[in-house]
Amino acid sequence: MADEDREIDEQSDSHVDTMSLSLQEVRATAQAQQMREQYREQKTRPLFDTENADTSRARGLIVLDGESPGRKIVVPDKGLVIGRSTSCDLKVGNSGDGTSRAHARVYYENGNLAMEDLNSRNGTLVNNRVCPGRRLYPGDKLQVGSTLFKVISGGEDVAHHESIYQMARRDPRTGLFEPDSIEAILTQEIKFSLRYKRPLSVFMLDIDYFSEIEEKFGQAASDCARVVVGKLLLSFVRSQDLALHYRNTTMLVVLPQTEVSHAVNCAERFCRIVAQHPIEVEGESLGVTVSIGVAQFRQSAVGLIHKVKEALSIGQRTGGNRVTRARRMTRKLRGD
């Protein structure tokens, strides 16, 4: 047991060559990217402080909810009018969802993105408040009728959203992302983390005793367990996180701008949530638990995956239903 509760050595990041890493990762990402079908971009990255943003570049919008979720709109220099009329620059919504013919305008004022309501019947919301007009900042939520946008900065932010958008699709049963390349997704997140000097953590989870569930209760039960855990995970993660299907019953969550201590707390909460949601099998209640490994970025996407997989493996070997942090010992969650 002492061997299995050993600490996981983690390489120091004091000598990371961020410029070399970025170039290598960009090349790998370019090779890995393949245009896939659209998926809903509900997990849009949180927006960064304006101190590091290039305010001379045009900002844009990402559709979070409404028609074509995940769609990127670059605001042109002349600005654009949003509404349900076909004469609008950006046509969204209909009369039934509270969208006016010409609802709102997004434009530039002294080089900064701003919005104004065009005397719409139901008003335009910014961050859930009716707003007649104001400057827009990266991260603001703009709502026109039932269509919800998120404001993003131009240039690097737009490229980042677009690359993530192109690299993944969704599992139709769980809603989890199914990227062509996990490493390519992580590469993009790492590049952003390095550029903006933000922490990046991940956690990887697997369903405990999955093969035993399948052998005892059948494939329908094991499939149900996978779908239930996947849906619970998707509803649990924050809007800026990425919940990915890794392989088989293993799932991976990428947590941008998150220290590893907070990632551990999140993982522990999710362990408890899963344990509190048994699945129904032929009229009987079947308890399901998960084990989770947690790690923080140090050197590369490959190294990050290796560390989090090793942490997960230790948790599974020591009984399951627990969270294991790289460099720290397993923390048991059972109350007995």
Side-chain angles (χ1 to χ4, degrees), residues 1 206-210 212-213 267-276 287-292 314-324 330-336:
M1 181 67 69
D206 203 352
I207 300 174
D208 295 327
Y209 310 110
F210 185 81
E212 286 85 346
I213 293 174
E268 289 178 340
R269 290 202 307 273
F270 186 68
C271 263
R272 296 188 179 98
I273 288 173
V274 173
Q276 294 167 3
V288 176
T289 61
V290 296
S291 295
I292 305 180
I314 289 178
Q316 290 177 311
R317 294 199 306 268
T318 52
N321 193 32
R322 62 188 63 205
V323 172
T324 304
T330 299
R331 301 170 67 173
K332 190 174 181 181
L333 294 180
R334 289 185 177 135
D336 51 17

Side-chain angles (χ1 to χ4, degrees), residues 39 41-48 62 64 138-139 141 150-152 157 160-161 164-165 177 185 188-189 192 200 238-243 254-257:
Y39 69 92
E41 175 68 0
Q42 294 174 335
K43 308 302 178 187
T44 307
R45 300 282 63 72
L47 277 296
F48 309 99
I62 289 284
L64 296 185
K141 304 288 181 59
K150 189 170 188 177
V151 180
I152 62 173
D157 274 4
H160 177 68
H161 282 272
I164 297 297
Y165 179 85
F177 295 153
I185 291 284
Q188 290 294 317
E189 296 295 343
F192 237 41
L200 175 68
R238 306 167 302 174
S239 62
Q240 63 263 39
D241 300 331
L242 280 172
V254 182
L255 301 105
Q257 303 191 47

Side-chain angles (χ1 to χ4, degrees), residues 53-124:
D54 185 351
T55 56
S56 65
R57 296 185 180 180
R59 293 193 179 100
L61 306 172
I62 289 284
V63 179
L64 296 185
D65 196 10
E67 298 177 10
S68 303
R71 178 186 176 189
K72 176 194 69 176
I73 299 103
V74 176
V75 180
D77 293 340
K78 68 174 184 177
L80 54 82
V81 174
I82 306 172
R84 75 171 195 266
S85 172
T86 56
S87 63
C88 291
D89 302 304
L90 179 59
K91 183 184 180 301
V92 300
N94 53 68
S95 58
D97 71 355
T99 305
S100 296
R101 292 182 181 278
H103 197 111
R105 183 169 72 103
V106 177
Y107 64 100
Y108 293 98
E109 184 175 43
N110 298 324
N112 299 310
L113 200 63
M115 59 73 60
E116 68 170 334
D117 181 77
L118 299 178
N119 297 318
S120 64
R121 173 174 294 184
N122 297 295
T124 303

Side-chain angles (χ1 to χ4, degrees), residues 16-30 156 183-184 186-197 297-301:
V16 175
D17 184 346
T18 58
M19 179 61 69
S20 175
L21 176 63
S22 295
L23 291 173
Q24 293 171 2
E25 297 300 314
V26 167
R27 292 192 188 100
T29 302
E156 295 293 334
E183 291 180 12
L186 284 176
T187 293
Q188 290 294 317
E189 296 295 343
I190 287 170
K191 181 184 174 184
F192 237 41
S193 173
L194 292 171
R195 180 178 180 83
Y196 292 97
K197 298 180 176 62
F297 165 67
R298 285 295 179 262
Q299 283 194 319
S300 68

